[in-house]
Amino acid sequence: MCDAIRRKAFQIRIAKFILGLCTVAVTQAATQPKTSSSAPESMINVLASGGPHPSLGEEAQTFNRFVGTWDGEFTSYRKDGAVYHRKGELHFGWVLDGRAVQDLWIAYPTATHKEREIGTTIRFFDVSLKQWRIVFILPEFNYMVTLQGGREGHRIVLRGLDPNGLLLRWTFNEITRDTFHWQGEKSYDGGKTWMLEEDHHMKRRAG
């Protein structure tokens, strides 16, 4: 009888000890700040959208057809005659509750450029202007431009000014489900003539 009582008392003390450990663990978890590793994932999850907002209607198709991942052949032309070829990739997706489209342009490292080159565009449809407005930034080169435009026949044409006030014209051409041709042009004479600066051929990545 005494052994049974002592055994029961011992079991109760063990149970209280385990309960105390659990209480401490729960309290520490509740008061400890979240690790920084969870913050980027949380931000991306909130930023991304599964598709366009219904309010965009048919206009959403202007850029919705580019959603996904693309492999690119990038060619750049400089005013001094230099030509640069690089491979890269492009990612398109809806963001901000489906009211905007964001992309990431990524050029891979080369023998002369040890780091990748990455820029991003945010584009949204301005219902008052009836045009798409975009902001493109390339932080590595302190570069930012704004353009606007939309569909012109089978093309998408965006127009704006570079940081020096020169006219820009960006065009999506030859658009199919799995390919498109993107060109960036600049005018040094107020739009009389245009110089091709960027000539990129994109192919949708399988899978």
Side-chain angles (χ1 to χ4, degrees):
M1 182 69 174
C2 291
D3 290 341
I5 293 174
R6 285 196 293 270
R7 188 164 52 249
K8 186 67 174 178
F10 177 75
Q11 291 173 345
I12 291 174
R13 288 198 297 273
I14 291 296
K16 289 182 177 179
F17 176 72
I18 294 174
L19 180 60
L21 290 178
C22 292
T23 302
V24 171
V26 170
T27 302
Q28 289 179 341
T31 57
Q32 186 174 359
K34 294 182 179 179
T35 61
S36 59
S37 61
S38 66
E41 180 180 353
S42 176
M43 180 269 184
I44 294 301
N45 289 339
V46 173
L47 175 67
S49 301
H53 193 276
S55 64
L56 291 175
E58 196 274 336
E59 190 59 50
Q61 297 308 311
T62 300
F63 288 104
N64 188 56
R65 49 188 158 171
F66 299 109
V67 168
T69 300
W70 303 77
D71 293 307
E73 296 285 344
F74 301 153
T75 302
S76 300
Y77 300 92
R78 296 296 174 256
K79 198 174 181 181
D80 61 6
V83 180
Y84 301 95
H85 299 284
R86 299 179 72 176
K87 292 183 179 295
E89 60 190 61
L90 173 62
H91 302 266
F92 263 90
W94 287 96
V95 296
L96 304 179
D97 294 339
R99 296 182 183 276
V101 179
Q102 184 169 5
D103 66 39
L104 292 173
W105 291 81
I106 303 172
Y108 300 148
T110 65
T112 57
H113 200 101
K114 301 302 182 182
E115 295 184 355
R116 70 177 184 175
E117 184 178 303
I118 181 168
T120 188
T121 314
I122 295 285
R123 46 175 61 80
F124 73 97
F125 186 68
D126 188 319
V127 295
S128 61
L129 297 176
K130 303 300 181 185
Q131 289 191 324
W132 285 85
R133 299 175 63 185
I134 80 164
V135 178
F136 173 76
I137 64 170
L138 192 59
E140 180 183 356
F141 300 103
N142 303 313
Y143 184 80
M144 184 188 80
V145 293
T146 62
L147 301 91
Q148 63 187 54
R151 281 182 276 187
E152 296 185 6
H154 297 294
R155 306 184 303 163
I156 300 172
V157 183
L158 303 164
R159 297 177 173 86
L161 301 174
D162 80 349
N164 297 316
L166 297 175
L167 293 175
L168 291 177
R169 183 169 64 193
W170 291 0
T171 309
F172 292 75
N173 296 297
E174 303 166 27
I175 304 168
T176 72
R177 183 188 179 281
D178 296 315
T179 60
F180 70 90
H181 181 195
W182 189 94
Q183 292 180 305
E185 301 170 283
K186 182 181 292 184
S187 177
Y188 292 86
D189 55 13
K192 296 177 182 178
T193 60
W194 293 87
M195 174 185 170
L196 181 63
E197 290 193 321
E198 307 291 336
D199 193 49
H200 308 327
H201 291 268
M202 314 303 298
K203 183 177 181 181
R204 187 180 294 275
R205 185 175 297 177

